Amino acid sequence: MATRNESTDRPCGIDFGGTGIKAAAVDLEAGDFAADRVRTRTPDPSTPEAVAEVFVELLGQLPQSHGPVGVTVPGVVRQGVVHSAANIHKSWIGTDADALFTSATGRDVHVMNDADAAGLAEVRYGAARGRRGLVIVTTLGTGIGSALVHDGVLVPNSELGHLQIDGRAAETRAANSVRESENLSWEHWAGRLTTYYRTLEELFSPELFVVGGGVSKKADEFLPLIDIETEIVPAALLNKAGIVGAALYAAESAR
Ligand code: BGC
């Protein structure tokens, strides 16, 4: 872990998704943005080189941030190398994103899975703060992202949105994008989520589920309808979780 000093106190988090790229300087004491977030559209095609150019621009708009930069991507990331690309350009697969972004920006960049970043932030600052044992954070969005955190330690790349249930990847039945495209009622969707979370319960016996993603703002509509044994709560950091978690990860992995 890096020692606290000025250069790690204002790291930056960048949330790279299929439609937008958002960045903010992060105050690690508060677990919050240190100043307003900046955002831009994801370039099309969203190749690694095009995205690196956008990062340079965005970092130029964040004078409050210095030191390490954490980046979230919607895919598997091992040791800085991207191994899957659900909603982004396929050329990401096999790219050493840590090396590419570090050389493009001149900053110390650390890339991680988007749901892992959100999970880390929820455990450190949000809905699962101080919780021991296994916490599973799921993000319900275009796909389903997941983070497994045990006693505060992240086990990365769990990819539980791809769990096969009745012969189909869970996210193709229960992601929020499916609720929208199939125009499902809250009750109907909660039925699908019940099947999903019961499967996770059976396999992992967690202490707590945290539900994130944009739709967690409407948790009152569907969380009470999910019929499981385990405690399940909405995320607290909402759309800040990815950026805050990535900045924290970068500060703690700083070279
Ligand atoms: C991807 C995950 C990602 C999740 C949420 C899934 O389709 O495989 O890596 O965390 O979507 O973006």
Side-chain angles (χ1 to χ4, degrees), residues 31-118:
D32 200 351
F33 296 169
D36 284 347
R37 184 184 83 160
V38 294
R39 69 163 292 162
T40 187
R41 289 190 67 76
T42 301
D44 184 14
S46 57
T47 57
E49 293 70 24
V51 170
E53 272 178 41
V54 172
F55 284 6
V56 173
E57 258 173 62
L58 287 180
L59 288 171
Q61 295 170 35
L62 294 174
Q64 318 82 354
S65 154
H66 36 90
V69 177
V71 175
T72 74
V73 301
V76 169
V77 184
R78 281 176 20 227
Q79 323 273 6
V81 178
V82 178
H83 288 272
S84 76
N87 301 304
I88 52 175
H89 200 263
K90 297 297 168 229
S91 60
W92 280 93
I93 297 174
T95 296
D96 185 338
D98 276 11
L100 173 74
F101 293 142
T102 296
S103 116
T105 62
R107 303 271 290 261
D108 178 20
V109 183
H110 299 267
V111 179
M112 73 190 302
N113 173 261
D114 54 0
D116 282 342

